[in-house]
Structure formats: C-alpha cells, structure tokens
Amino acid sequence: MKIGYRTIKTAIATPIAITIAQLVGVTNIASAGILTILCIQPSRKKSVESAWHRFLACILAILFSIVMFELLGYSPIILGILLALFIPTCVFLKIEQGIMTATVITLNLYGFGLIQMNFLYEQFLLIFIGIGTGLIVNLYMPSLDKKLQEKQRELESNFQIILYEIALYIREQHMDWDGKEIAEVGRILEEADELVKRDQENHLLRDDHFYHKYFKMRKKQYEILQQMLPLVTRLPEKDHVSERIADFFEKLSNSVHPGNTAILFLEELKEIREAFHEEELPATKEEFETRASLHQLLHEIEEYLLLKSKFKKSDVMLREKKPKRIKKEKKTKQ
C-alpha cells in the first residue's frame, strides 16, 4: 500500500493545528484539525487559491450566522435556510472551495447558541490556525522532475519504435506491427500533461517551463506521425527513392532524444527532395497517386523535424538569457 504526499502532509499538519489550538486555549480544537485537512491541496498554486477562498467563505459564513441566528433564532430550520442561501452565494462569488470549511465555523456558532465577541474571536483564531497550518505545510511540494524525465524516456522510446516500424514497412511492403505504441504515446502524453500542470502550479514565479514546451512539441510530432502512417501504406513498391526514405526513417528512429539533430536531418531531407524531383513524371494514375503520397510524406517529415528544430532554438535562447540575468544581479550587488 502506497502512502502519498498529501496523506503524509495531512497526518503531520492536523496534529500540529490541534496542538496550536490547545496552546492558544480555544474551544472546538478539533475544528482546527478539520480546517487543516480540508486545506491540503496537490500544488502550491491551488493551496494559495484555496486558502484565500476558504478565508473569504469563513468571513461570509460568520456574517450570515450573525444575521440569521440572531434575528431568526437557533433552530435546524434556520440552519437549513442559512445554508440554502450561503452555498449559492459562495458559488456566485466563485469561492465554492470554501463551502465545507465555512460550514464548520457555521456549525460551531450554531452549537454555541449565542453570538459573543470572545467566541467569535476564537473562531477567527481557528480559521487562521487551520488554514494557516495547511497553507504552510503545503508550501513544500516534492519535485516532479524524475517523473517527468521518466515520461520523456518512455515517450522517446515509443517514438523510436514507431519510426523504425515505418522504415521496416517501406522496405518490406508489409506490416506485422500491431501499432500498440501509437496508443501508448497518447497515454504517456496525457499523463505528462497532468504532471506538467502540477509542476507549473508548484513554481508560481517561474515563467518558462522546459517540460511544458517539450511535451507540447512531442504532442504535435505525435499528430504528424499519425498522419504519416496512411501515407506510408500508399508508397510505391521498393525503388531507390523509397529505399532512401526507409534509411532516413531508420536513422531518425536512432536519433530520438532531447538533443538537436533536426538540422542535420533537414539537410538530408533536402537532398532526398532533390532526388525525388529528378524522377521521371508519372505515366499512370496509380503512379501519380503514389507520387503525391510520397510528396505529402516528405512534407510531413519536414514539419516533424521543424518542430524539433524550433523547440531546440527556443530552449537555447532561454539558456543564454539566464547567465545574463545572473551577471546583472552580480553587478547590482557590487
């Protein structure tokens, strides 16, 4: 049985909040633990947003409670009416995350049966202790770099297989491949997208994100690969051009990695295009259709490589900017 970070944080933060509540001497100390449990979130950004929404919702709940209970009395019916008005108000104000937290405070006031300044002060302390403890504990977020690197390796491995199978089909004109890597790439991209979103939310002040751009680039390449497959099946029987394209795909499959090899392949692709244009004009409809498929395939390969080339250029530019920023900081310090 695997224990997640949110579980560990909950187990740590809850007794801390209750201990602080005990030391301060407030009643309803269990409420501090409940508020903390409700505040544990999967990312820093969500933690900050959640804490703010819950705080506003608690203030709103106290105002509703003062008006409703003091004017109409403390009864289950009034409590129901209060919630019927309070919940839609939170939704309208877009602070619905705080509904459960605020309800805890509302029930405390209902259970006390009287609005007193001392008790209201205690509720504010509970709000600060519960939400504050949850927020502070949530500031620590484990790095997702290892998981993202793992997804990167899985993705590149599947890309290699797909490109190699395309080369194999062009050479042998038949396919024993079941194509499972295509579905696997789709699954990896979805999982990577979720990890990237969480990692971005954990870095509130960082604008650039390598993995966001990387997986976005690979997703576009994946779409191009899907467009290539039907084109490959319509290629002409084995000749010197198709054999050269097969060699090209095989070399491409061996060069799927984060480095920048796209420029070299674009140069080779240019040579293949020139050889393709030197071929005799098609004499039949079938030859014309296969020639059109070959032309479209070369276009798709070029788009595939250009995506990688643009990605590496933007990555290099970002890396070149960082040292300049460091130098500027050093100058200002001096």
Side-chain angles (χ1 to χ4, degrees):
M1 183 175 65
K2 190 176 179 180
I3 299 176
Y5 278 99
R6 289 182 70 182
T7 303
I8 295 171
K9 287 180 182 180
T10 303
I12 294 171
T14 304
I16 290 174
I18 292 174
T19 302
I20 294 171
Q22 281 179 326
L23 292 173
V24 173
V26 299
T27 54
N28 302 110
I29 58 173
S31 296
I34 295 170
L35 295 180
T36 301
I37 292 169
L38 293 171
C39 288
I40 301 297
Q41 298 295 317
S43 69
R44 290 194 186 103
K45 183 179 178 181
K46 287 184 178 178
S47 299
V48 174
E49 288 179 354
S50 175
W52 177 241
H53 290 170
R54 291 174 197 280
F55 177 75
L56 292 177
C58 286
I59 300 301
L60 190 63
I62 290 172
L63 295 175
F64 266 75
S65 299
I66 292 171
V67 174
M68 296 293 291
F69 293 147
E70 287 297 302
L71 292 179
L72 303 176
Y74 293 79
S75 70
I77 296 174
I78 301 303
L79 177 62
I81 295 171
L82 186 154
L83 293 174
L85 295 172
F86 172 72
I87 293 172
T89 303
C90 287
V91 174
F92 175 76
L93 296 173
K94 297 181 180 180
I95 55 172
E96 57 269 23
Q97 288 186 51
I99 290 172
M100 293 300 294
T101 307
T103 303
V104 174
I105 301 300
T106 301
L107 292 175
N108 285 347
L109 294 170
Y110 174 77
F112 191 69
L114 184 65
I115 300 296
Q116 285 185 348
M117 290 304 297
N118 288 339
F119 194 71
L120 282 177
Y121 175 70
E122 287 188 0
Q123 298 311 299
F124 276 108
L125 284 176
L126 286 173
I127 292 167
F128 283 113
I129 293 168
I131 296 176
T133 304
L135 181 60
I136 291 168
V137 172
N138 256 351
L139 289 177
Y140 169 75
M141 289 291 170
S143 173
L144 295 175
D145 283 353
K146 285 186 179 180
K147 289 183 178 180
L148 287 165
Q149 287 167 7
E150 184 181 344
K151 293 300 172 189
Q152 182 181 5
R153 286 192 294 269
E154 289 177 12
L155 192 64
E156 290 173 356
S157 175
N158 281 281
F159 266 54
Q160 287 175 344
I161 294 170
I162 293 169
L163 290 167
Y164 179 76
E165 290 294 338
I166 290 175
L168 205 61
Y169 179 83
I170 294 172
R171 283 203 186 97
E172 300 180 3
Q173 292 293 308
H174 69 87
M175 188 175 287
D176 297 327
W177 178 46
D178 59 7
K180 67 178 182 179
E181 283 78 14
I182 295 291
E184 187 69 10
V185 167
R187 180 191 64 79
I188 294 168
L189 285 170
E190 286 182 7
E191 292 177 358
D193 187 53
E194 289 298 317
L195 287 171
V196 166
K197 285 178 182 176
R198 279 174 54 195
D199 198 52
Q200 285 179 309
E201 289 178 349
N202 286 338
H203 298 86
L204 302 177
L205 302 177
R206 191 170 74 182
D207 296 327
D208 60 288
H209 194 285
F210 170 80
Y211 287 107
H212 170 71
K213 293 179 180 178
Y214 173 81
F215 286 111
K216 186 179 179 181
M217 178 269 294
R218 288 300 188 195
K219 187 175 182 179
K220 289 179 180 178
Q221 285 188 324
Y222 170 59
E223 292 169 357
I224 291 173
L225 284 176
Q226 288 178 303
Q227 293 169 7
M228 283 185 193
L229 291 174
L231 293 171
V232 170
T233 60
R234 294 199 295 269
L235 286 182
E237 291 185 4
K238 188 174 179 181
D239 58 23
H240 67 282
V241 176
S242 61
E243 181 63 29
R244 190 169 180 183
I245 292 174
D247 291 340
F248 183 81
F249 268 102
E250 186 172 351
K251 284 189 283 185
L252 199 58
S253 73
N254 293 324
S255 301
V256 179
H257 55 71
N260 188 15
T261 54
I263 296 174
L264 299 175
F265 282 105
L266 283 167
E267 286 294 324
E268 186 174 347
L269 183 62
K270 185 179 178 181
E271 294 174 6
I272 295 174
R273 276 182 182 278
E274 290 173 356
F276 173 70
H277 287 305
E278 290 174 3
E279 292 289 304
E280 295 182 3
L281 293 173
T284 64
K285 181 183 177 183
E286 288 75 15
E287 287 180 2
F288 179 81
E289 288 175 349
T290 52
R291 188 69 64 86
S293 296
L294 185 56
H295 186 273
Q296 182 63 29
L297 179 63
L298 292 174
H299 174 73
E300 297 294 347
I301 298 170
E302 185 179 30
E303 287 296 313
Y304 175 93
L305 293 169
L306 284 172
L307 283 169
K308 181 65 180 296
S309 179
K310 288 176 184 176
F311 165 74
K312 289 308 297 180
K313 284 179 182 177
S314 64
D315 186 41
V316 169
M317 287 175 66
L318 284 172
R319 290 182 181 181
E320 287 177 351
K321 285 179 182 179
K322 286 179 181 179
K324 291 179 183 179
R325 289 177 185 173
I326 293 169
K327 287 177 183 178
K328 286 180 180 178
E329 288 176 5
K330 285 181 178 179
K331 286 180 182 179
T332 54
K333 286 179 182 178
Q334 291 172 356

